[in-house]
Amino acid sequence: MPDLRQLARTLFDAAVAAADPALALRRAFADHPPPQATGRTILIAVGKAAPAMLAEAMALCPGADTAIAVTHHENPAEVPGAQVLRAGHPVPDEAGAAAARAVIEALKACGPGDRVIALISGGGSALLPAPAPGLTLADKAAVNRALLAAGLDIVQMNLVRQQLSQLKGGGMLRLAAPATVTAYILSDVIGDDLRAIASGPTVGPIGTRAEARALLRDAGLWDDLPLKVRAHLSDDTPAAPVPEAVNHLIGSNRQSLEAMARAAAQAGLATRIVSDRLTGDVADAARVVLAELAPVAEPTALLFGGETTVNLTGTGMGGRNQELALRVALDAPGIGNDWVFLSGGTDGRDGPTEAAGGLVDGATAERIAAAGQDAKALLADNDSHAALDAAGDLLITGATGTNVADVQALLIRP
C-alpha cells in the first residue's frame, strides 16, 4: 500500500478530477442540449471554473456571437476567441465590478430569438459584483467582509447578497429577457440549492429583503452595516418577477466524494462516506471527524464533504480547511494506528492563502513545536496557515479550475 500521505493526495486529486468542468459540461450537453436559436448565441461563464466551461461550450456551440468568462485572479487560463475577465475573491473588487458591467451590457443587448447559455460555478457571487442602484462596490465589500467574519453559511450569505445585486437572485434572467436562458451549473453548495450557487443568477432569490434584515439582526451585523445598505434593505417594494430558465446541475460535492471512495477501494482500503454534510462551525466539524478516529483492523478510508465556517476572533491567516486540519491534529487521541487527515478546497484555495488546505498526521503537533511555534496560540489567533506551514503540512495544489466545495479524507492503517 502506498504511503498514507501520498494516498490522501491521490484521493483529493480524484475528487477534483470528478468535478472537471469541461467533461461535466460535455456530458450535460449530450444529455440536455441547449435549444436552437433563431438569433444570436451569447455564452456567459461565471465562477472559478468559468474558463474551462466556456472553452468547452465554444467547442460545442461553434460560432457564438458573444463569449465572456469571469473568473478569479489566480486562474491564468485564457480562452481563444473569448473575453476572459478576472476579479477578486472572496472579497469583491473593482475588476469584478467592471466584469459585471460587461456582462450586464451583453445581457441587455439580447432580443427575441437570442439564446443565452449561462455556465455557472462556485465563486461567482463574489466575482461578479453589480451593486443595486444607490449602492457602491465599497458598500457591497463591507457587507461581504462582515458576512464572512460572522461565520454564516453560504445560503445565509447569499440570501443577503442577492438583495444587494443587479445580477444575483435571478437578475441575469431579468436582464436577458426576452432571450431564452439555459444554465449549466457546477455546484459548490452542500445540498445543491441552485438559488445559493453563485447567488443564483439564473433562479429565483432565496428570500426577501425582510428576511435578509432579520438574518443580519440575528447575527448582530445590522447596526454596523453602511447606512445606504440598511436603507436599501428596508425598502420592501416588490421586486420584478423572475423569468423562466432551464437549469441543469452538472457536478457536485457528492459526486466527488463517490470518486474518492472508488479510488480508495481500488487501493485496497475499507471505505465509507461518513458525511456529505460536514458544515457549520469548524470546531464542531473537527469533533465529528475526531469521533471517527479509532483503531481499525484493516486499512480504512473515512470520507467527508461539505463546507464549514470559521468565526474569526484573531488576526492570523488561514482558512476553514487549514483550521479544521489543525484542530484534528491537536486534539487527535492516541489510537496506536498510523493515520493522516486531509481537508482541502476543491478549487485549490483555502481562504486568502496559497494553500488548498492541510494534510496532517499524528506527528503534526510535534513538528510545529520543533519549529519553535506554539500551535494552540496560533489556533487561537486563527493563524492555522502559520502552524501548518511550520509542520510542512500545507496542502498546496494551485488553482484547480473547478469548485465543488470541500472534501476530507481520514485514512487509518493498523
Side-chain angles (χ1 to χ4, degrees):
M1 178 178 295
D3 174 79
L4 287 186
R5 293 178 71 91
Q6 293 177 353
L7 183 55
R9 177 58 190 267
T10 296
L11 299 190
F12 180 80
D13 291 344
V16 171
D20 181 280
L23 294 179
L25 187 61
R26 194 178 309 161
R27 291 192 296 265
F29 265 57
D31 295 336
H32 307 287
Q36 295 298 313
T38 58
R40 300 179 309 133
T41 294
I42 297 91
L43 304 178
I44 304 291
V46 180
K48 294 181 178 180
M53 293 179 78
L54 182 61
E56 185 66 22
M58 291 177 70
L60 296 169
C61 297
D65 298 274
T66 299
I68 301 173
V70 182
T71 193
H72 55 133
H73 289 301
E74 292 75 18
N75 189 337
E78 296 291 347
V79 182
Q83 186 178 15
V84 179
L85 305 173
R86 293 178 176 81
H89 184 280
V91 177
D93 62 7
E94 183 54 45
R101 289 192 291 271
V103 169
I104 289 171
E105 289 305 310
L107 294 174
K108 281 184 174 180
C110 292
D114 292 347
R115 64 173 177 174
V116 175
I117 298 175
L119 311 166
I120 309 297
S121 58
S125 185
L127 293 169
L128 211 60
L135 301 180
T136 66
L137 179 61
D139 294 329
K140 290 198 66 176
V143 173
N144 205 50
R145 284 192 294 270
L147 295 173
L148 288 168
L152 300 180
D153 66 36
I154 189 66
V155 176
Q156 292 172 314
M157 288 193 290
N158 285 347
L159 165 62
V160 176
R161 288 164 168 166
Q162 288 175 347
Q163 300 303 323
L164 307 176
S165 172
Q166 298 180 60
L167 285 169
K168 299 172 175 51
M172 185 176 286
L173 303 181
R174 296 187 183 100
L175 290 164
T180 62
V181 178
T182 306
Y184 297 89
I185 302 171
L186 189 66
S187 173
D188 68 333
V189 172
I190 305 310
D192 303 325
D193 185 341
L194 300 186
R195 301 171 304 167
I197 302 165
S199 289
T202 62
V203 294
I206 294 170
T208 64
R209 292 184 186 182
E211 290 170 317
R213 291 197 302 271
L215 172 65
L216 291 165
R217 287 192 173 108
D218 288 345
L221 301 177
W222 177 258
D223 291 339
D224 294 326
L225 295 179
L227 181 61
K228 288 186 293 182
V229 170
R230 285 180 282 160
H232 178 81
L233 291 175
S234 297
D235 181 356
D236 287 322
T237 302
V242 176
E244 291 290 329
V246 177
N247 293 289
H248 300 291
L249 181 68
I250 67 172
S252 69
N253 185 267
R254 179 71 192 194
Q255 293 175 17
S256 285
L257 286 178
E258 291 169 353
M260 294 175 75
R262 289 192 295 271
Q266 289 170 2
L269 280 73
T271 303
R272 176 164 58 96
I273 297 176
V274 178
S275 174
D276 59 4
R277 294 286 195 280
L278 193 65
T279 58
D281 185 78
V282 69
D284 295 332
R287 285 189 281 271
V288 171
V289 175
L290 289 165
E292 301 291 335
L293 186 53
V296 297
E298 60 182 330
T300 300
L302 302 173
L303 307 177
F304 309 79
E307 186 170 279
T308 60
T309 56
V310 176
N311 189 9
L312 295 175
T313 57
T315 60
M317 186 170 67
R320 58 183 180 264
N321 287 289
Q322 292 167 79
E323 184 156 323
L324 176 57
L326 180 60
R327 286 180 178 275
V328 168
L330 296 185
D331 293 337
I335 62 171
N337 289 166
D338 293 333
W339 63 270
V340 302
F341 175 69
L342 178 149
S343 183
T346 55
D347 62 351
R349 186 181 183 201
D350 184 42
T353 75
E354 82 287 7
L359 175 54
V360 300
D361 57 38
T364 292
E366 295 176 10
R367 291 194 293 272
I368 296 171
Q373 298 291 332
D374 184 334
K376 290 187 176 180
L378 290 171
L379 178 61
D381 195 33
N382 294 119
D383 205 356
S384 55
H385 185 272
L388 294 179
D389 189 28
D393 285 354
L394 290 171
L395 175 65
I396 306 289
T397 66
T400 64
T402 191
N403 187 19
V404 290
D406 305 333
V407 294
Q408 290 83 25
L410 177 61
L411 308 185
I412 311 172
R413 180 167 54 195

